[in-house]
Amino acid sequence: MDLINSPSVIIHLNSRDNVGVASKAVPQGIPIDKDGTPARENIDAGHKVALAAIQQGEAVFKYGQLIGLAARDIQPGEHVHTHNLTMIELDSSLDDFKAHPRTDTASHTRTFQGFQRSDGGVGTRNYIGILSTVNCSATVAKAAADELNRSGELDKMGFDGVVAITHGSGCAMNTDSEGFDFLERVIAGYAQHPNFAFVLIIGLGCETNQVKTLVKRKGLEDASRLAYFNIQDAGGTRSSIKTACSHLLEMAARHGQQERTPASLEHLVVALQCGGSDGYSGITANPALGHAADLIVQHGGSVILAETPEIYGAENLLIDRAIDENVAQKLLDRISWWKHYTEINGAELNNNPSPGNKAGGLSTILEKSLGAVAKGGTSSLNDVLLYAEKISTRGFNFMDSPGYDPISVTGQIASGSNVVCFTTGRGSVSGFKPAPCLKLATNTAMYEKMHEDMDINCGVIVDGTDSVERVGEQIFERIIAIASGDMSASESLGYGNNEFVPWLVGAVT
């Protein structure tokens, strides 16, 4: 797809499509095709318009793929959206499955400047972490981090700062439940994350998520990179804050000054994420990020796509790229889990898109999913991870998660992502310490309005001044630069302290 110098205000993405996408707002009466067919009503930028007559019950196609059925007869030039488009339930199977060849890593010549860790990992940042096992220790964790950051002592030693990783759970949970497994995996993943030089875990002492049990069960016993204590043993909050600061300053002194050194891209793990999607997401930022993802994989690195409800209806495109039937079945198992999970909670998988997505032109979850999958590029699907499961296979991975961005990114970072790439059409303002986060704008209007929060304008693709491939190469180079120490937009503004949100599943008693 190349939109450079496209003369039309309507983008026709695929010859199979019976709808087009408005590259800018189209007033009623403006021709939408070379035959002079007029728009029958005002069409907002990013929204769909019928390019041909579509009968009630007939399939509607975008990207050459089914996105829904016409709820009534639709005339050429008519706005196509939630008022005249309905969802259709799709089921994938492995009846005709054929394994996809594993994508070759053609080159290992590119490097980034990272922090080498004793366990073989490489950090893109050099933070110190304070992790709370339970909400009850969150106040102490934040207070200790604030005190150390204010003192400036750790800055002088070459650290990027202290990050308090706190949350709202950790007690009144069944320790044999899936939700408890999620929480343990997330905390363990952050405790071992290469963007932390070392961490301190603080518990209260009487919570369900006992710190000593967590350390033992998850193999977090490397004293050079981890320390822990309970507030009740330390003598209360003020004493605990003092103890925490003392522990971390001692650990910092033992670690000494660390410098960035060259590391191959095999140590780069990039989280692929989207939020506040619009009608341009699947045309500009997502495929451009997908091209960058392919370049990362080709150079020996890894990428993690997530948000299972937001691939629903497009999972067949990922199954077709699975390297073996076991990987494909893992993905189908997660889809089945979500169908059951939403049913028992009185919901359904197609309750997306969100109001913001719909305002941006997305009508059904099928349409949103097709655009979301584009972030994953074209590389072979090498593994499917459970939520926050540590990545073990290089290349393109999929991680199960909700579509809620903070929960999803939390899981991707716990799985090992040391850079986050976040596409947005409506404008997202999140950061995700300890991982730097690049914001990729899908359209120029939003980029210009929120330029302080955006890193790259992918809207130039729909503007007709650049291509998906060239913007993808720009993203690839920017990822390497930020992994090497350049600041992302959200980092330059000091954001990223409030987005740690583990996935809560199950009863709280």
Side-chain angles (χ1 to χ4, degrees):
M1 177 182 65
D2 191 345
L3 303 179
I4 294 178
N5 298 321
S6 174
S8 177
V9 295
I10 301 299
I11 305 166
H12 193 195
L13 296 169
N14 187 284
S15 59
R16 190 184 188 188
D17 293 353
N18 48 12
V19 296
V21 179
S23 64
K24 56 186 177 182
V26 178
Q28 182 178 357
I30 294 293
I32 63 166
D33 57 26
K34 62 183 179 180
D35 297 325
T37 304
R40 291 177 174 266
E41 53 198 308
N42 293 333
I43 310 295
D44 288 339
H47 282 245
K48 296 176 293 298
V49 60
L51 301 177
I54 308 173
Q55 303 302 311
Q56 182 177 355
E58 189 176 343
V60 176
F61 291 96
K62 180 183 176 184
Y63 309 112
Q65 302 286 334
L66 175 69
I67 64 169
L69 303 178
R72 57 172 175 77
D73 291 348
I74 302 173
Q75 299 302 312
E78 190 175 342
H79 183 208
V80 178
H81 199 32
T82 54
H83 63 290
N84 55 11
L85 186 62
T86 62
M87 173 68 179
I88 182 172
E89 188 84 14
L90 298 177
D91 285 309
S92 297
S93 73
L94 301 182
D95 292 343
D96 300 313
F97 176 78
K98 293 181 181 179
H100 190 286
R102 186 185 290 265
T103 298
D104 291 331
T105 55
S107 171
H108 289 272
T109 58
R110 294 299 302 272
T111 62
F112 70 99
Q113 296 293 114
F115 295 98
Q116 307 281 345
R117 305 304 184 195
S118 59
D119 62 359
V122 179
T124 63
R125 294 294 181 267
N126 196 35
Y127 285 113
I128 296 167
I130 304 180
L131 282 60
S132 62
T133 59
V134 64
N135 176 254
C136 306
S137 58
T139 297
V140 165
K142 289 179 180 178
D146 288 344
E147 184 167 322
L148 287 167
N149 286 328
R150 278 194 304 269
S151 74
E153 292 185 58
L154 294 168
D155 295 344
K156 299 173 187 176
M157 303 171 71
F159 295 100
D160 292 325
V162 183
V163 181
I165 301 296
T166 63
H167 55 97
S169 61
C171 202
M173 303 174 71
N174 179 355
T175 57
D176 294 323
S177 69
E178 199 165 28
F180 191 77
D181 286 343
F182 290 173
L183 182 61
E184 280 198 324
R185 282 205 299 266
V186 165
I187 295 176
Y190 274 68
Q192 297 168 312
H193 198 279
N195 284 8
F196 284 132
F198 51 87
V199 301
L200 173 66
I201 305 178
I202 303 177
L204 176 62
C206 56
E207 66 271 17
T208 303
N209 188 27
Q210 287 285 304
V211 63
K212 289 183 179 180
T213 304
L214 171 72
V215 166
K216 184 176 180 179
R217 279 168 50 127
K218 294 300 179 182
L220 306 178
E221 294 168 321
D222 181 358
S224 68
R225 289 195 64 193
L226 185 140
Y228 61 89
F229 71 86
N230 286 321
I231 294 169
Q232 292 167 351
D233 296 331
T237 55
R238 287 200 294 181
S239 177
S240 293
I241 293 167
K242 183 177 179 180
T243 299
C245 292
S246 176
H247 265 311
L248 292 176
L249 288 171
E250 288 174 8
M251 293 178 80
R254 288 200 304 269
H255 273 72
Q257 190 90 13
Q258 280 194 289
E259 302 290 340
R260 290 182 180 270
T261 57
S264 71
L265 293 198
E266 66 182 314
H267 297 289
L268 196 60
V269 183
V270 179
L272 310 174
Q273 190 68 209
C274 61
S277 300
D278 68 355
Y280 297 133
S281 295
I283 302 171
T284 62
N286 287 0
L289 178 54
H291 185 69
D294 285 342
L295 292 174
I296 290 166
V297 171
Q298 289 164 21
H299 284 82
S302 300
V303 296
I304 303 177
L305 183 67
E307 299 183 293
T308 313
E310 296 189 11
I311 65 154
Y312 175 60
E315 68 269 16
N316 61 297
L317 301 180
L318 295 179
I319 289 170
D320 289 345
R321 292 157 54 189
I323 58 171
D324 57 43
E325 191 166 344
N326 177 58
V327 171
Q329 187 60 56
K330 280 185 179 182
L331 186 60
L332 285 184
D333 288 346
R334 302 325 300 158
I335 296 287
S336 297
W337 184 95
W338 272 95
K339 287 181 176 179
H340 171 71
Y341 179 65
T342 52
E343 182 181 355
I344 63 175
N345 284 282
E348 53 186 17
L349 266 177
N350 65 0
N351 68 347
N352 243 314
S354 69
N357 298 151
K358 292 173 182 176
L362 297 175
S363 306
T364 67
I365 187 56
L366 295 180
E367 181 183 6
K368 185 177 182 181
S369 294
L370 289 165
V373 166
K375 300 193 301 294
T378 61
S379 301
S380 60
L381 176 61
N382 294 349
D383 202 4
V384 174
L385 307 172
L386 297 175
Y387 181 72
E389 181 182 0
K390 189 172 183 178
I391 186 171
S392 59
T393 304
R394 289 200 190 106
F396 174 48
N397 285 244
F398 181 83
M399 186 201 75
D400 181 37
S401 82
Y404 183 48
D405 309 322
I407 292 178
S408 185
V409 178
T410 294
Q412 289 171 306
I413 293 173
S415 289
S417 297
N418 49 13
V419 175
V420 177
C421 281
F422 197 116
T423 70
T424 181
R426 308 295 290 172
S428 170
V429 295
S430 301
F432 297 95
K433 289 180 181 179
C437 176
L438 288 79
K439 294 292 171 38
L440 312 176
T442 72
N443 65 87
T444 299
M446 186 275 289
Y447 176 82
E448 291 177 345
K449 188 176 183 179
M450 300 183 64
H451 65 275
E452 285 188 335
D453 297 286
M454 299 295 122
D455 291 278
I456 293 177
N457 178 23
C458 302
V460 293
I461 297 169
V462 76
D463 294 342
T465 59
D466 220 330
S467 68
V468 166
E469 292 74 20
R470 285 205 294 266
V471 175
E473 291 165 6
Q474 181 186 358
I475 296 169
F476 173 68
E477 295 297 338
R478 190 66 183 141
I479 290 170
I480 294 174
I482 285 182
S484 299
D486 283 8
M487 295 186 77
S488 68
S490 62
E491 286 183 301
S492 70
L493 295 168
Y495 303 157
N497 291 305
N498 301 298
E499 287 79 15
F500 178 77
V501 185
W503 185 7
L504 296 180
V505 174
V508 176
T509 57

